[in-house]
């Protein structure tokens, strides 16, 4: 896809990336490209971002299959924050806040500059939208100006920004109707609609149900527990233990091996959609883009709702950082 060079072009701040090697058209073959994290580190102007990703336990996630689109603040962007802000955010007790800020800079999928400028907003992995505006050759994401575009990585693309994006405070979420999904079904001890203050996060809610032991083990092996205990909000299509048991013998044990972490991350993030999508809204969709980057297909027939080939068996299980819909089959990205 040709890029609208009138937008911004590839600016001098990212020229150090050229040392990694390129084709005549200036783009590295995917096999030669580094992932998003290593690409940012190689540039030399994202040291604070790299430190923040490490402190937030998000390095493994952004080194995963993706694809991701990252609006990456430079060191100079972080330096514009009030004195002491970065040091405070890097403290372990502020990990959830830091995760919320960083995932607010990430959009699922690979969105090149030519497509960014056609948008007015984009939903981030954190769950909230960023506003996108174009005025002449200037593109803004919220109040941040894009200073370099289409920095290609093996698992997505980076657009450089001059200001750190701050997510708006989360508003109170309502409980929508279940539409054609048959109402809110209980999941073990998780039925009901407790107030947000009394709710557990998505991971603890699933563990408390007692029917997601394999999912919990997989999240641990994939280093995704901290992410799904973060601010979100997230929508998770959660396969039960019975769903995992339907996989061919040995599949789960194989996926849980350390050498298969990237594959496991890809599968698990394919079950997660950014934002809090209640059943009443799910049934209006024909597809949804997952955090993994690929879409899942959604179909409704009578009172049956399917996500790809999985049947939804319980809906609107509320958590403090999103919502869970239970499915009877593990989703596998294609």
């Amino acid at each position: 896809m040709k890029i609208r060079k009138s937008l911004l072009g590839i600016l001098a701040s990212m020229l150090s990336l050229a040392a990694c090697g390129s084709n005549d058209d200036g783009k590295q073959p995917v096999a030669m490209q580094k992932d998003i994290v290593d690409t940012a580190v190689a540039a030399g102007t994202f040291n604070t971002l790299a430190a923040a990703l490490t402190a937030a336990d998000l390095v493994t996630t952004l080194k995963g299959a993706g694809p991701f689109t990252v609006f990456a603040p430079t060191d100079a962007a972080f330096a514009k924050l009030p004195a002491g802000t970065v040091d405070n955010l890097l403290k372990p007790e502020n990990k959830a806040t830091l995760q919320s800020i960083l995932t607010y800079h990430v959009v699922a999928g690979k969105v090149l500059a030519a497509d960014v400028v056609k948008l007015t907003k984009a939903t981030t992995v954190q769950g909230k939208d960023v506003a996108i505006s174009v005025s002449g050759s200037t593109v803004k994401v919220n109040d941040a100006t894009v200073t370099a575009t289409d920095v290609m990585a093996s698992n997505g693309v980076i657009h450089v920004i001059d200001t750190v994006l701050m997510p708006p405070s989360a508003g109170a979420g309502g409980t929508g109707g279940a539409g054609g999904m048959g109402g809110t079904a209980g999941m073990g001890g998780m039925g009901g609609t407790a107030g947000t203050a009394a709710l557990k996060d998505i991971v603890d809610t699933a563990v408390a149900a007692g029917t997601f032991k394999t999912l919990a083990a997989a999240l641990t092996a994939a280093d995704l527990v901290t992410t799904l205990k973060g601010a979100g909000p997230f929508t998770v299509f959660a396969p039960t233990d019975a769903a995992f048991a339907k996989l061919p013998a040995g599949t789960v044990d194989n996926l849980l091996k350390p050498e298969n972490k990237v594959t496991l991350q890809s599968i698990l993030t394919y079950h997660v959609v950014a934002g809090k999508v209640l059943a009443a809204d799910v049934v209006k969709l024909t597809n949804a883009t997952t955090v993994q980057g690929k879409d899942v297909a959604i179909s409704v027939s009578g009172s049956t709702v399917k996500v790809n080939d999985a049947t939804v068996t319980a809906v609107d299980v509320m958590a403090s950082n999103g919502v869970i819909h239970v499915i009877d089959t593990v989703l596998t990205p294609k």
Side-chain angles (χ1 to χ4, degrees):
M1 180 183 296
K2 292 186 177 180
I3 306 305
R4 284 176 46 183
K5 293 188 178 179
S6 60
L7 170 64
L8 287 169
I10 303 298
L11 300 187
S13 63
M14 299 305 296
L15 287 179
S16 59
L17 296 173
C20 297
S22 65
N23 288 328
D24 291 339
D25 63 1
K27 295 181 181 178
Q28 300 173 37
V30 172
M32 294 179 62
Q33 290 170 353
K34 299 178 180 179
D35 60 53
I36 283 173
V37 175
D38 290 345
T39 299
V41 169
T45 53
F46 299 95
N47 295 324
T48 308
L49 177 60
L53 289 171
T54 300
D57 283 338
L58 290 175
V59 169
T60 302
T61 300
L62 286 179
K63 290 175 77 70
F68 307 105
T69 298
V70 177
F71 296 102
T74 60
D75 292 334
F78 278 100
K80 290 162 60 175
L81 294 173
T85 299
V86 172
D87 289 340
N88 193 45
L89 285 171
L90 294 178
K91 294 178 179 178
E93 61 265 32
N94 294 322
K95 180 185 286 187
T97 301
L98 182 60
Q99 286 179 329
S100 177
I101 292 170
L102 294 176
T103 53
Y104 189 60
H105 292 73
V106 182
V107 173
K110 185 176 181 180
V111 189
L112 300 181
D115 297 311
V116 170
V117 297
K118 299 173 185 176
L119 304 175
T120 57
K121 63 180 180 178
T123 301
T124 67
V125 170
Q126 187 263 357
K128 298 289 192 292
D129 288 356
V130 288
I132 298 171
S133 60
V134 182
S135 177
S137 61
T138 300
V139 177
K140 282 185 171 287
V141 180
N142 289 357
D143 295 323
T145 298
V146 180
T147 60
T149 65
D150 290 347
V151 180
M152 308 303 286
S154 61
N155 62 341
V157 62
I158 297 170
H159 305 303
V160 186
I161 55 176
D162 69 350
T163 302
V164 177
L165 305 175
M166 290 294 179
S169 57
T175 302
M181 295 174 77
T184 303
M187 283 171 55
M190 298 196 296
T193 54
T196 301
L199 295 173
K200 299 178 180 179
D201 61 54
I202 282 173
V203 175
D204 289 345
T205 299
V207 169
T211 54
F212 298 93
K213 294 175 182 176
T214 308
L215 177 60
L219 289 171
T220 300
D223 284 338
L224 290 175
V225 169
T226 302
T227 300
L228 285 180
K229 289 176 76 72
F234 306 105
T235 298
V236 177
F237 295 103
T240 60
D241 292 334
F244 278 100
K246 289 162 60 175
L247 294 173
T251 300
V252 172
D253 289 341
N254 193 46
L255 285 171
L256 294 177
K257 294 178 180 178
E259 60 266 31
N260 294 323
K261 180 187 285 187
V262 171
T263 300
L264 182 60
Q265 287 179 329
S266 178
I267 292 171
L268 294 176
T269 54
Y270 188 60
H271 291 74
V272 183
V273 173
K276 184 178 180 180
V277 189
L278 299 180
D281 297 311
V282 170
V283 296
K284 298 174 185 175
L285 305 174
T286 56
N287 58 23
T289 301
T290 68
V291 171
Q292 187 262 0
K294 300 286 194 302
D295 285 0
V296 289
I298 298 171
S299 59
V300 182
S301 177
S303 62
T304 300
V305 176
K306 283 185 171 287
V307 180
N308 289 357
D309 295 325
T311 299
V312 179
T313 60
V315 302
D316 290 347
V317 180
M318 308 303 287
S320 61
N321 60 343
V323 63
I324 297 170
H325 305 304
V326 186
I327 55 176
D328 69 352
T329 302
V330 176
L331 306 174
T332 303
K334 298 177 181 179

